[in-house]
Amino acid sequence: SMLFGLAISMYLQQKVVNFTKELNPEKRGSVYDMNFGKKWFASFDEAEKFITYKSSHTAMKVTSSTCLGLWLFCLIGMISFDFGVLPLIMVWIIWFVQTCTYCLKAIYYGKHPSEVMK
C-alpha cells in the first residue's frame, strides 16, 4: 500500500507540474528526472527564488522550534513515564542534522557568493 501511495503521489505531482508548465512555458523539468529540483529551480525568476529562500528559512525556524518542543516532551517522558532514551536521541539527530546542514551551507555560501543564485 505504501508503494501505491507513492505512485499516486508521483502521478499527482506530475499533473501539477505539467499544468504549471502550461501556465508558465518558461518552466523546465519533469518529475521523472533525477535532477528535477535543479532544473525546476533554475527556471525560477528572481522573485520566485526570493520567495523560496524566505519560505525555506521560515521552515527551518519552525522545524527547529518543533524539534525543541519534541525533545523536551521526550525528555520529560523519559524521566516521568519511562519512554526510554531512543525517542530523545531520534529527535536530537533530526534537529542536529537540520541545524548542521543550515550552518554548513551558510558558511559555504558566505565563501562562495556566486553559488547562491544557482
Side-chain angles (χ1 to χ4, degrees):
S1 81
M2 185 176 125
L3 291 176
F4 180 72
L6 288 172
I8 294 294
S9 175
M10 183 175 274
Y11 174 77
L12 293 174
Q13 286 176 358
Q14 184 248 341
K15 290 295 183 189
V16 170
V17 166
N18 286 347
F19 179 68
T20 304
K21 286 166 62 174
E22 285 179 26
L23 296 176
N24 302 301
E26 71 277 1
K27 298 292 182 202
R28 295 185 311 262
S30 167
V31 293
Y32 303 116
D33 185 5
M34 293 301 288
N35 292 319
F36 169 71
K38 288 182 181 182
K39 289 180 181 179
W40 191 257
F41 190 74
S43 67
F44 282 11
D45 62 15
E46 295 300 317
E48 290 172 315
K49 286 182 181 181
F50 186 72
I51 290 168
T52 301
Y53 294 143
K54 291 290 283 185
S55 59
S56 297
H57 186 259
T58 302
M60 186 276 306
K61 291 191 309 186
V62 170
T63 302
S64 189
S65 298
T66 302
C67 283
L68 174 61
L70 289 172
W71 187 83
L72 289 172
F73 176 78
C74 290
L75 180 65
I76 292 167
M78 183 182 77
I79 294 169
S80 303
F81 305 110
D82 198 27
F83 277 5
V85 73
L86 186 61
L88 187 72
I89 291 172
M90 292 173 64
V91 170
W92 181 83
I93 288 171
I94 293 168
W95 193 7
F96 180 76
V97 167
Q98 182 252 339
T99 303
C100 286
T101 302
Y102 179 80
C103 291
L104 291 172
K105 281 298 184 180
I107 292 168
Y108 175 80
Y109 289 135
K111 291 180 180 179
H112 305 94
S114 63
E115 295 288 318
V116 172
M117 296 309 272
K118 288 186 178 179

